[in-house]
Amino acid sequence: MQGKYTAPMDLITTQKAIKFTKDTFERNLAHALELTRVSAPLFVLRDSGLNDNLNGYERAVSFDILQTGKTAEVVHSLAKWKRYALRQYGFPVHKGLYTDMNAIRRDEVCDALHSIYVDQWDWEKVITAEDRTVEYLRDTVMRIYGAIRETAAQACEKYGVLQNFLSEEITFVTTQELEDMYPGLMPSERETAFVRERGAAFICGIGAPLKSGKPHDGRAPDYDDWALNGDIVLYYPVLDRAFEVSSMGIRVDAKSLSEQLKAAGAEGRAKLPYHTELLAGRLPLTIGGGIGQSRLCMYILNRAHIGEVQASIWPEWERKSCLEKGITLL
């Protein structure tokens, strides 16, 4: 972002618009994917194997529990927990759940798009073995993008000061195709170059090494199938950059879990309760993901910083930089 920034709404109107955007998208998403809202945990036991390991180096916020003597961790996401929940609630095939997920990612590098506080809609639905295809993944992505477009249109109609930056179509591209197109660029730069031209993209195949020997981005080996996953990335003219709003995918089955644990050098996780259940075929086959709540509000409400739509803690230099640009952090 260059030059002085002026927010399109005052703070109170912004709070009302955030509530409207979240409520509207929840309804649209639930209808598009046939989901039911459920309650979700803020923390899980460390030895359960349920926490999301993200890229493998992030430290979970942990604490000991007085009455049990065990250690709990604040979730990084609910990627694994949701499969247990689908089984527990007895969801049938092609039905699923969504929930409000709140997390603390203490090692996040804060900037306009990243905060140590993470809020997202975590969703998951039951599928069949025949659904574990690129075609099924594409259909699901298009349904989610349709829900995003519908929400943006409704918000723009209600609040006339907003601009709708969404393209009509979402383009599907693999991480290898991006590397082939832009071999001299870093992965994040490839994303920006692509969506600057196309508007919106689903970038498929995140986690496995590309021809260059490096993955497009890190992805834990025990939830998404690296061949059947991806990110929904939008072009955001306010910041002139790629803007990720969702990470999702068809989840690992027993075969892909074994292969990916070996590839990641994480075979030891196979002994954890979650992984044991999955490898034994006692968890449903699923597709799922997370959609950033603050990210989506920031995009639809035309904001320059995620701190305008969520309350968090920021480094002093970040607050000073925002103040100089006319950005008010909550």
Side-chain angles (χ1 to χ4, degrees), residues 190-211:
R190 295 172 200 155
E191 293 182 3
T192 294
F194 189 81
V195 295
R196 189 182 282 136
E197 178 183 346
R198 302 298 183 96
F202 184 71
I203 299 173
C204 314
I206 299 175
L210 304 175
K211 292 177 182 177

Side-chain angles (χ1 to χ4, degrees), residues 155-184:
C156 287
E157 182 178 0
K158 185 173 180 65
Y159 300 98
V161 296
L162 299 177
Q163 297 183 63
N164 191 341
F165 300 123
L166 291 169
S167 59
E168 290 188 14
E169 304 292 335
I170 184 167
T171 303
F172 292 80
V173 63
T174 68
T175 52
Q176 187 57 63
E177 288 171 335
L178 281 183
E179 184 180 69
D180 294 342
M181 282 187 275
Y182 310 106

Side-chain angles (χ1 to χ4, degrees), residues 49-75:
L50 282 175
N51 209 354
D52 183 351
N53 296 95
L54 300 177
N55 291 316
Y57 62 82
E58 293 90 348
R59 301 169 298 157
V61 175
S62 62
F63 58 94
D64 63 292
I65 302 172
L66 177 63
Q67 288 190 301
T68 68
K70 293 189 175 184
T71 299
E73 293 181 343
V74 176
V75 297

Side-chain angles (χ1 to χ4, degrees), residues 7-79:
M9 303 172 181
D10 61 39
L11 291 178
I12 292 178
T13 306
T14 296
Q15 291 300 310
K16 294 177 180 178
I18 291 170
K19 179 72 163 59
F20 175 83
T21 302
K22 288 185 177 182
D23 289 348
T24 302
F25 181 72
E26 278 192 27
R27 289 194 299 270
N28 293 337
L29 178 69
H31 176 73
L33 298 184
E34 298 187 82
L35 307 176
T36 299
R37 190 190 183 282
V38 302
S39 300
L42 176 60
F43 40 81
V44 294
L45 291 176
R46 173 179 288 172
D47 59 8
S48 68
L50 282 175
N51 209 354
D52 183 351
N53 296 95
L54 300 177
N55 291 316
Y57 62 82
E58 293 90 348
R59 301 169 298 157
V61 175
S62 62
F63 58 94
D64 63 292
I65 302 172
L66 177 63
Q67 288 190 301
T68 68
K70 293 189 175 184
T71 299
E73 293 181 343
V74 176
V75 297
H76 279 147
S77 86
L78 298 172

Side-chain angles (χ1 to χ4, degrees), residues 79-94:
K80 301 170 189 171
W81 173 86
K82 292 177 292 183
R83 289 179 83 165
Y84 269 133
L86 286 171
R87 183 180 68 179
Q88 179 183 2
Y89 288 117
F91 277 94
V93 172
H94 297 150

Side-chain angles (χ1 to χ4, degrees), residues 204-221:
C204 314
I206 299 175
L210 304 175
K211 292 177 182 177
S212 63
K214 298 179 181 180
H216 180 81
D217 197 2
R219 193 62 53 90

